[in-house]
């Protein structure tokens, strides 16, 4: 059951990616609608997969790399669908859905068997901490997509080479706005994830903060986004600068999430 | 029945000629009624715009019909036909269909892709419908033309880009700012081009206007016209941060706006983007201003390049549109030919024959104790019934075949007996769209 749902999810995301990329080539209304429905379908099946796994395992299924990547993809698809609804920018999907698909494909590279929960993780903080963290990651992933689109569109406008893609991409204003909204959504979530992690750490290991690589990198990520938010609010870091920071921030985040797990050992190494 | 088109356009006639034979839009009843009073002109529609005057008609006699339409055009406006003749084009059959489809899809317009022409044809058709001078053929024909135009518009990007400098500027502003409704326009200099561009911005939603000029009185006068605010020229850099879109067209011989000025202005705006349009020749704004972050500077050449590439894009899209039209012509032409009497009689007969055969076979195969000559008798009986029933409509059709209301009967028969299977029904509802 679980495996079938996962394969269905993968296929639906693949179809959605193809549909969104087709929309990028030929922006027809019908194609946009199809894309959205297929992606929504993928999201729903994916959510069912996650809930099914939760029931089967008896814990929040974000405890190893397969589960984490899968949940990351689910969160991005969900956050993206909300943004598409709000800003009616279907073309953003052409940049975000391939990312979702890649992450899901990546998750197949890690063992997916349900195993008994590591005693250290047996806590109600597991759900709070991980779900918050991945929702914030998802918001930053959408910001990353919007930032890439911003830089492309900005390049067209500055260089005065207005090709077909220029016509299709949204205005700089909308892209910058999406970037900002993602930031104001993602940053509090990330903050909360770090705080809840610290509280959990205190109850599990008796110390709030032990500077293990994951904690350190989380803090670095937090600082990057804090700087971006601060810059936006006070000195008007908007547009190109904000887009670059959203991209840099996302790479730091990816390193915090994957790099630390794969290349460094520490207290978080089981994820 | 045949469709004919007679007319002239900006491509074949000067404005002097076009003026002379234009029809007043408010007085369409008289010429329309005169047209269908002409021998052998069954239906008529008059399209009259500043760029073209065209008569669409359905007639049985193509050559005679076209000659009569030409004469009517000259006589009605008091212009000798010999004077008019060299400027006129006339098409019939497939060529006429192609012509009207192209006109409706705005492929024959001065600016290819401009949307007004479709509305004008719809209005023209509206008059003809009101005064009942269009009938079954032209009704279907024009509805088809509307749906073809719509298909061209949705399937190609023929009208999706701005083809004037002012509109190109508005389009660029939309790509930078999105919504223009809370944006302020600043005019530096009070030139005519500047004024025109500012009007386009206001028509497209821009909110406030500020005007500055070396002579303050002129700035005041223009500001009043736009219900905006005049600013002393010396205060320009104090006020510039309030503007989102800046149109500059002073007569200055050197740059009046330099990157270092804008560095400061943009910082005062907290890096909110600015769009500069330099309409002046020689230029007012140092091109290096474009390098300042979040500042976009376009001069006259840049805008003209945008327009040129848009026009080129339209030309490419027009090729696609021609393809769509070729597809649609064939379909419509088939429908027109289906209105001929003979194919309809043949179709009707074969339809009846098919039904008779099918029913007969069903009965025979189920009838076990049928007497020996029963099958033969049933065959003769059913054949006789069908023949008797078909005789009156066939005779009527053949009789009216020489003229009159044939199309109406043929179309009714085809609809009632569902004979469209062999000939596709043209699309397009009978309602006027939009």
């Amino acid at each position: 059951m679980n495996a079938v749902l996962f394969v269905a999810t993968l296929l639906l995301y693949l179809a959605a990616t193809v549909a969104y990329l087709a929309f990028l080539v030929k922006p027809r209304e019908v194609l946009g609608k199809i894309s959205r429905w297929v992606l929504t379908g993928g999201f729903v099946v994916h959510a069912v997969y996650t809930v099914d796994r939760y029931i089967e395992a008896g814990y929040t299924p974000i405890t190893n790399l397969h589960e984490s990547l899968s949940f990351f993809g689910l969160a991005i698809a969900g956050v993206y669908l909300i943004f598409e609804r709000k800003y009616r920018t279907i073309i953003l999907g052409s940049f975000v859905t391939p990312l979702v698909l890649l992450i899901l494909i990546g998750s197949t590279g890690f063992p997916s068997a349900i195993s008994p929960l590591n005693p250290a993780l047996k806590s109600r903080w597991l759900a709070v901490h991980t779900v918050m963290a991945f929702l914030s990651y998802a918001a930053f992933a959408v910001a990353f997509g919007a930032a890439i689109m911003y830089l492309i569109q900005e390049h067209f406008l500055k260089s005065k080479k207005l090709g077909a893609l220029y016509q299709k991409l949204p205005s700089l204003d909308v892209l910058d706005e999406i970037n900002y909204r993602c930031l104001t959504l993602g940053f509090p979530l990330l903050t909360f994830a770090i705080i809840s992690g610290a509280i959990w750490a205190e109850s599990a290991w008796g110390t709030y903060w032990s500077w293990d690589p994951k904690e350190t990198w989380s803090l670095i990520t937090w600082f990057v986004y804090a700087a971006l938010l601060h810059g936006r609010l006070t000195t008007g870091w908007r547009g190109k600068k904000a887009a670059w920071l959203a991209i840099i921030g996302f790479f730091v985040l990816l390193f915090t999430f994957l790099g630390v797990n794969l290349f460094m050992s520490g207290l978080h190494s089981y994820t | 029945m045949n469709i004919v088109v007679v007319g002239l356009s900006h491509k074949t006639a000067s404005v002097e000629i076009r003026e002379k034979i234009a029809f007043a839009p408010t007085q369409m009843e008289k010429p329309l009624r005169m047209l269908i009073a002409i021998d052998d002109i069954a239906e008529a529609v008059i399209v009259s715009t500043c760029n073209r005057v065209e008569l669409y008609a359905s007639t049985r006699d193509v050559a005679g019909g076209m000659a009569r339409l030409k004469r009517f055009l000259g006589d009605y406006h008091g212009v000798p036909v010999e004077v008019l003749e060299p400027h006129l084009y006339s098409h019939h059959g497939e060529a006429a269909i192609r012509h009207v489809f192209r006109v409706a899809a705005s492929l024959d317009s001065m600016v290819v892709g401009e949307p007004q022409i479709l509305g004008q044809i719809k209005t023209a058709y509206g008059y003809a419908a009101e005064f009942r001078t269009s009938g079954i053929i032209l009704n279907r024909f024009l509805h088809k033309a509307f749906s073809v135009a719509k298909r061209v518009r949705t399937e190609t990007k023929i009208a999706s880009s701005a083809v004037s400098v002012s509109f190109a500027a508005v389009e660029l502003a939309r790509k930078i700012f999105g919504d223009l409704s809370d944006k302020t326009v600043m005019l530096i200099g009070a030139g005519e081009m500047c004024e025109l561009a500012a009007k386009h911005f206001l028509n497209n939603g821009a909110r406030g206007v500020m005007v500055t000029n070396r002579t303050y009185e002129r700035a005041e006068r223009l500001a009043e016209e736009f219900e905006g605010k005049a600013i002393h020229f010396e205060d320009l850099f104090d006020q510039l941060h309030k503007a989102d879109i800046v149109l500059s067209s002073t007569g200055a011989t050197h740059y009046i706006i330099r990157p270092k000025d804008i560095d400061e202005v943009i910082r005062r705006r907290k890096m909110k983007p600015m769009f500069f349009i330099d309409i002046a020749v020689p230029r007012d704004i140092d091109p290096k201003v474009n390098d300042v972050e979040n500042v976009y500077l376009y001069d006259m050449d840049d805008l003209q390049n945008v327009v040129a590439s848009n026009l080129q894009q339209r030309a490419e899209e027009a090729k696609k549109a021609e393809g769509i039209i070729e597809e649609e012509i064939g379909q419509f032409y088939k429908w027109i030919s289906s209105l001929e009497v003979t194919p309809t009689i043949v179709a009707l007969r074969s339809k009846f024959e098919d039904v008779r055969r099918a029913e007969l076979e069903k009965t025979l195969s189920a009838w076990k104790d049928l007497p020996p000559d029963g099958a033969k008798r049933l065959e003769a009986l059913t054949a006789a019934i069908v023949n008797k029933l078909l005789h009156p409509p066939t005779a009527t059709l053949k009789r009216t075949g020489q003229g009159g209301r044939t199309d109406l009967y043929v179309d009714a028969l085809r609809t009632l007996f569902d004979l469209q299977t062999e000939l596709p029904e043209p699309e397009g509802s009978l309602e006027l769209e939009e």
Side-chain angles (χ1 to χ4, degrees):
Chain A
M1 174 66 179
N2 214 252
V4 173
L5 284 170
F6 189 77
V7 171
T9 303
L10 257 182
L11 289 176
L12 282 165
Y13 282 154
L14 175 67
T17 304
V18 170
Y20 274 108
L21 290 178
F23 181 83
L24 185 65
V25 179
K26 261 197 189 329
R28 297 260 170 79
E29 209 178 314
V30 198
L31 257 170
K33 273 187 191 151
I34 293 172
S35 308
R36 181 181 324 139
W37 282 112
V38 176
L39 182 65
T40 309
F43 174 74
V44 169
V45 175
H46 196 177
V48 172
Y49 162 80
T50 309
V51 170
D52 181 64
R53 199 174 167 97
Y54 176 88
I55 294 166
E56 205 175 317
Y59 55 80
T60 312
I62 316 181
T63 62
N64 58 38
L65 265 180
H66 168 75
E67 291 174 344
S68 301
L69 282 166
S70 164
F71 191 80
F72 189 22
L74 177 74
I76 297 176
V79 170
Y80 165 72
L81 282 169
I82 294 168
F83 273 88
E84 187 189 286
R85 215 180 170 73
K86 185 154 192 273
Y87 291 99
R88 314 225 155 271
T89 49
I90 299 166
I91 209 111
L92 180 57
S94 318
F95 290 77
V96 173
T97 47
L99 191 65
V100 175
L101 182 67
L102 276 178
I103 288 169
L104 261 277
I105 291 173
S107 77
T108 62
F110 300 97
S112 67
I114 295 176
S115 49
L117 193 58
N118 184 322
L121 295 178
K122 274 190 188 139
S123 164
R124 60 201 152 89
W125 287 108
L126 169 64
V128 179
H129 172 67
T130 52
V131 170
M132 289 295 153
F134 280 101
L135 283 178
S136 78
Y137 288 8
F140 294 137
V142 174
F144 169 73
I148 289 177
M149 287 163 77
Y150 187 98
L151 291 180
I152 295 173
Q153 186 69 305
E154 143 96 20
H155 173 75
F156 285 138
L157 281 162
K158 276 274 191 200
S159 67
K160 296 158 191 178
K161 291 192 183 91
L162 310 176
L165 190 56
Y166 155 82
Q167 301 278 359
K168 293 170 190 169
L169 289 174
S171 66
L172 292 180
D173 181 66
V174 164
L175 293 169
D176 193 50
E177 166 94 8
I178 291 174
N179 191 333
Y180 179 62
R181 291 281 159 229
C182 288
L183 196 63
T184 52
L185 174 71
F187 188 71
L189 285 169
L190 181 66
T191 309
F192 196 74
I194 292 176
I195 292 172
S196 65
I199 297 171
W200 184 12
E202 208 276 334
S203 69
W205 305 313
T207 166
Y208 285 106
W209 199 265
S210 43
W211 295 107
D212 92 314
K214 187 80 162 190
E215 288 171 355
T216 311
W217 277 95
S218 298
L219 199 64
I220 294 171
T221 313
W222 187 86
F223 271 120
V224 171
Y225 285 111
L228 175 50
L229 194 60
H230 177 77
R232 278 203 89 109
L233 294 177
T234 58
T235 46
W237 276 5
R238 58 173 76 229
K240 203 171 162 183
K241 212 173 258 168
W244 272 117
L245 267 170
I247 290 170
I248 293 167
F250 188 66
F251 280 111
V252 173
L253 181 153
L254 278 183
F255 185 77
T256 305
F257 170 34
L258 292 173
V260 171
N261 286 329
L262 296 172
F263 309 124
M264 296 181 187
S265 64
L267 293 168
H268 273 83
S269 54
Y270 37 74
T271 58
Chain B
M1 229 7 147
N2 237 303
I3 291 173
V4 295
V5 176
V6 168
L8 50 73
S9 74
H10 57 97
K11 286 186 178 161
T12 63
S14 65
V15 68
E16 287 80 28
I17 304 259
R18 287 180 344 241
E19 272 167 0
K20 271 186 200 136
I21 68 155
F23 292 86
T26 49
Q27 292 143 24
M28 281 301 193
E29 184 169 1
K30 190 178 148 205
L32 279 170
R33 290 205 191 289
M34 282 171 75
L35 267 174
I36 53 164
I38 296 174
D39 247 6
D40 230 345
I41 301 291
E43 306 167 41
V45 170
I46 300 174
V47 174
S48 181
T49 75
C50 49
N51 279 335
R52 66 180 69 244
V53 176
E54 293 181 337
L55 307 177
Y56 306 160
S58 74
T59 175
R60 207 143 264 296
D61 167 19
V62 170
M66 289 199 293
R68 284 177 205 118
L69 289 178
K70 285 180 186 172
R71 202 172 320 127
F72 165 81
L73 211 50
D75 290 352
Y76 189 85
H77 297 286
V79 182
V81 180
E82 306 79 66
V83 176
L84 222 47
E85 186 78 46
H87 303 287
L88 288 175
Y89 44 78
S90 49
H91 306 289
H92 67 91
E94 219 176 289
I97 298 170
R98 178 176 297 110
H99 177 78
V100 176
F101 284 5
R102 292 187 74 246
V103 170
S106 187
L107 290 175
D108 197 48
S109 300
M110 212 179 241
V111 178
V112 169
E114 56 92 10
Q116 287 90 330
I117 184 66
L118 184 60
Q120 288 162 334
I121 298 179
K122 280 181 178 171
T123 310
Y125 172 68
Y127 286 122
E130 187 184 340
F131 304 123
R132 308 207 161 274
T133 65
S134 72
I136 180 159
I137 304 235
L138 289 189
N139 283 346
R140 284 270 172 98
F141 179 42
L142 287 168
H143 283 295
K144 187 69 194 170
F146 301 152
S147 81
V148 170
K150 200 175 164 191
R151 212 189 129 192
V152 164
R153 202 118 55 92
T154 51
E155 291 183 25
T156 72
K157 278 174 281 176
I158 196 158
S160 69
S161 49
V163 286
S164 78
V165 165
S166 293
F167 274 109
V170 170
E171 208 177 77
L172 282 162
R174 283 226 176 89
K175 281 291 185 190
I176 296 169
F177 300 113
D179 185 16
L180 298 183
S181 66
D182 58 347
K183 297 294 174 276
T184 300
V185 179
M186 159 90 88
L187 273 71
I188 305 175
E192 209 176 307
M193 270 301 282
C194 223
E195 214 180 311
L196 187 70
K199 270 182 195 147
H200 274 296
F201 275 108
L202 288 177
N203 287 339
N204 284 278
R207 191 194 43 157
V209 177
M210 299 193 286
V211 186
T212 186
N213 196 54
R214 282 201 204 272
T215 30
Y216 185 66
E217 289 69 36
R218 271 195 81 178
E220 259 186 327
R221 221 166 35 232
L222 198 56
E224 211 169 295
E225 194 184 313
F226 285 121
E227 294 173 27
K229 195 174 148 211
I231 285 166
H232 287 283
F233 199 75
E234 310 79 70
D235 298 338
L236 172 63
F237 290 109
D238 270 341
Q239 302 287 324
L240 200 54
H241 68 280
K242 293 179 188 160
D244 303 287
I245 298 156
V246 180
L247 299 162
S248 188
S249 72
T250 71
T253 49
H254 56 274
Y255 297 143
I256 57 164
I257 297 179
R258 292 166 186 285
K260 66 173 181 0
D261 308 321
I262 299 311
D263 270 335
E264 259 185 62
V265 168
I266 200 89
R267 222 166 296 143
R268 275 181 85 175
R269 284 170 60 78
K270 283 198 162 184
M271 305 306 286
K272 272 198 279 181
M274 283 183 98
F275 182 27
F276 287 86
I277 301 152
D278 190 351
I279 300 171
V281 179
R283 288 177 294 184
D284 285 342
I285 306 174
D286 186 337
K288 289 198 190 81
V289 164
N290 192 46
D291 299 336
V292 177
E293 202 178 318
N294 293 343
V295 172
Y296 306 89
L297 165 65
Y298 280 68
D299 63 27
M300 211 50 193
D301 283 357
D302 297 330
L303 290 174
Q304 252 144 15
N305 285 341
V306 171
V307 168
S309 85
N310 285 352
L311 278 172
Q312 195 194 334
Q313 192 198 341
R314 280 195 183 201
E316 275 160 33
E317 293 300 311
K319 275 184 220 151
K320 275 192 224 165
E322 303 280 3
I324 291 173
I325 284 172
E326 287 309 314
E327 256 175 69
E328 300 275 2
I329 291 173
Q331 226 194 54
F332 190 80
Y333 197 63
K334 271 188 194 165
W335 178 75
I336 287 275
S337 346
S338 81
L339 293 183
E340 295 304 324
V341 172
T342 320
T344 303
I345 294 175
V346 171
L348 189 66
R349 283 199 165 273
S350 83
K351 173 110 188 181
F352 273 58
E353 183 61 19
D354 288 349
V355 172
R356 186 184 75 84
R357 254 205 191 280
E359 294 302 319
L360 191 64
E361 266 159 35
K362 239 196 276 171
T363 306
L364 290 181
S365 65
W367 199 338
K368 304 253 161 39
D369 49 353
L370 185 70
D373 61 343
K376 235 185 208 167
R377 281 178 178 223
L378 276 179
E379 168 81 42
L381 170 72
T382 50
I385 291 174
V386 164
N387 273 334
K388 286 246 158 87
L389 283 176
L390 278 180
H391 179 70
T394 311
T396 312
L397 270 187
K398 281 186 175 155
R399 204 169 44 247
T400 53
Q402 285 90 36
R405 330 241 0 209
T406 335
D407 314 313
L408 195 63
Y409 290 148
V410 166
D411 188 58
L413 267 183
R414 288 202 165 263
T415 312
L416 287 175
F417 289 101
D418 192 23
L419 301 179
Q420 288 113 345
T421 38
E422 301 96 274
L423 295 153
E425 178 79 355
E427 286 163 31
S429 67
L430 287 173
E431 303 292 312
L432 263 182
E433 289 152 18
E434 292 164 47

